[in-house]
Amino acid sequence: MKTKLSVNINKIATLRNARGGNFPSVLEAAVNCQKFGADGITVHPRPDERHITYQDVEELKDLIQTEFNIEGNPAYRPFMDLVLKVKPHQVTLVPDQVNSITSNAGWDTEEHFDFLSEVIAEFKAQGIRTSIFLDPNPAMVESAAKTGVDRIELYTEMYAQNYTLSNTNAINPYLETAIKASELGLGINAGHDLNLQNIEFFAREIPKLSEVSIGHALICEALYLGLEKTIQSYQEKLKNASL
Ligand code: PXP
C-alpha cells in the first residue's frame, strides 16, 4: 500500500499574507498541487488566521477533488463549527496553543479522554473521519482507541531531529506506537518536519502508513525544484518505500 501525500498549503497563505493581497493564491495552489499529483490538501487554520483564513477553508472545499484534511484544536469552538460546516474528508485534532508557532505536542489522551470522545462523536455523526495528533508513545494509543477515533497522526518532529544521528533510534518509538495502533484497529497518519531526505525511510519502516501531511519543507524545497517536481519527488519516494 502506497502512503498518500497530503500537501499542507499553510505556507502559501503565509507568503500571501506578507503583502496583504491575493498573490500567491492559495486556491490556485490547491488546484495545482492536486494537478501535480498530491493525494490530498491539508490546511491548519489558527484562531488568529495568521496563515490560512476561515474564508480560505470555506472556498477551498469545492476545489478539492482529492482528500481534504483540516487540522486544528477543537477546544476553540469556531474551529469546530468551521469543520462541521465544511465537512472535509478528515479532521485532525491537534492540542496546539493559540500562541505556539507550530504544533509542538501530541494529545494526552488520558487527561483529555472525555473531551476528545465528545468532539470525535460530533464529527463522526457528520461523516467526517477523525484523527488525533500523538507523540510516539504507545501508552497514549490505548485511550486514543477508546475515544472512537479512526486514526492517529504520529508527530514526527523528534524523528526528523534524530534521523541523521541514528535512524534506528529515530524510528523505534514510532514503530512501537504504530504497531500498537494497528493492533487496536486504528489507521496511521504522520506529519511534521518530514522532508525529501527523511520521508522514504519513515514510510518504509512504518507499516500501514496511510497518509503523510507535509508543508514547511515541501514549500521550501519547491523554491529550488519547483512545486511540480517536488510533489513528484515525494510521490516517487513514497512509491519506492512501498515496494
Ligand atoms: N501535522 C500537523 C498536526 C501540523 O500542525 C503540521 C504543521 O502545521 C504538519 C503536520 C505539517 O508539518 P510541516 O509543515 O513541518 O510539514
Side-chain angles (χ1 to χ4, degrees):
M1 180 193 76
K2 185 192 147 294
T3 302
K4 288 186 172 177
L5 171 69
S6 186
V7 176
N8 178 321
I9 58 170
N10 264 41
K11 280 279 134 52
I12 305 278
T14 307
L15 196 55
R16 175 199 61 188
N17 297 352
R19 281 290 171 97
N22 191 34
F23 183 64
S25 155
V26 293
L27 303 184
E28 204 176 313
V31 169
N32 283 325
C33 287
Q34 294 174 99
K35 197 167 86 188
F36 299 153
D39 302 301
I41 299 293
T42 291
V43 291
H44 193 143
R46 309 261 173 184
D48 60 8
E49 301 185 84
R50 63 183 187 270
H51 322 297
I52 285 280
T53 65
Y54 275 44
Q55 190 183 336
D56 290 331
V57 178
E58 292 196 32
E59 289 177 1
L60 278 164
K61 181 184 164 69
D62 292 334
L63 298 174
I64 310 245
Q65 318 273 318
T66 54
E67 279 228 357
F68 196 15
N69 174 43
I70 306 181
E71 302 171 344
N73 193 335
Y76 184 59
R77 187 68 220 188
F79 172 80
M80 292 278 300
D81 294 338
L82 177 72
V83 175
L84 291 167
K85 183 174 178 198
V86 172
K87 291 194 179 59
H89 299 88
Q90 176 175 273
V91 61
T92 301
L93 309 179
V94 187
D96 53 348
Q97 302 303 306
V98 174
N99 294 325
S100 51
I101 295 174
T102 181
S103 310
N104 53 14
W107 287 97
D108 181 331
T109 52
E110 286 167 11
E111 189 185 338
H112 299 283
F113 181 78
D114 291 340
F115 171 66
L116 286 169
S117 303
E118 272 166 41
V119 299
I120 285 164
E122 203 172 338
F123 288 128
K124 287 181 77 171
Q126 295 301 315
I128 302 166
R129 190 172 71 224
T130 54
S131 175
I132 52 180
F133 198 51
L134 281 193
D135 293 315
N137 176 359
M140 286 295 133
V141 179
E142 206 134 326
S143 40
K146 290 189 189 135
T147 63
V149 79
D150 301 292
R151 294 188 185 181
I152 60 164
E153 179 180 327
L154 294 167
Y155 172 31
T156 44
E157 182 182 355
M158 200 174 75
Y159 162 75
Q161 275 176 7
N162 293 335
Y163 173 71
T164 45
L165 304 175
S166 159
N167 296 347
T168 309
N169 287 347
I171 203 76
N172 273 348
Y174 291 88
L175 191 53
E176 283 170 28
T177 311
I179 289 170
K180 182 90 189 154
S182 281
E183 280 169 7
L184 295 170
L186 297 174
I188 301 158
N189 296 339
H192 224 289
D193 296 300
L194 294 173
N195 60 37
L196 278 174
Q197 266 69 53
N198 63 29
I199 185 70
E200 189 172 325
F201 181 74
F202 191 84
R204 180 174 298 118
E205 295 296 313
I206 299 297
K208 300 189 194 156
L209 180 64
S210 294
E211 176 192 291
V212 286
S213 62
I214 308 182
H216 183 75
L218 188 150
I219 300 302
C220 295
E221 288 152 347
L223 288 175
Y224 295 96
L225 300 175
L227 193 53
E228 183 167 11
K229 177 87 179 53
T230 305
I231 290 174
Q232 286 168 356
S233 301
Y234 276 97
Q235 291 291 32
E236 267 167 43
K237 291 188 184 288
L238 291 171
K239 198 170 148 213
N240 288 342
S242 71
L243 297 176

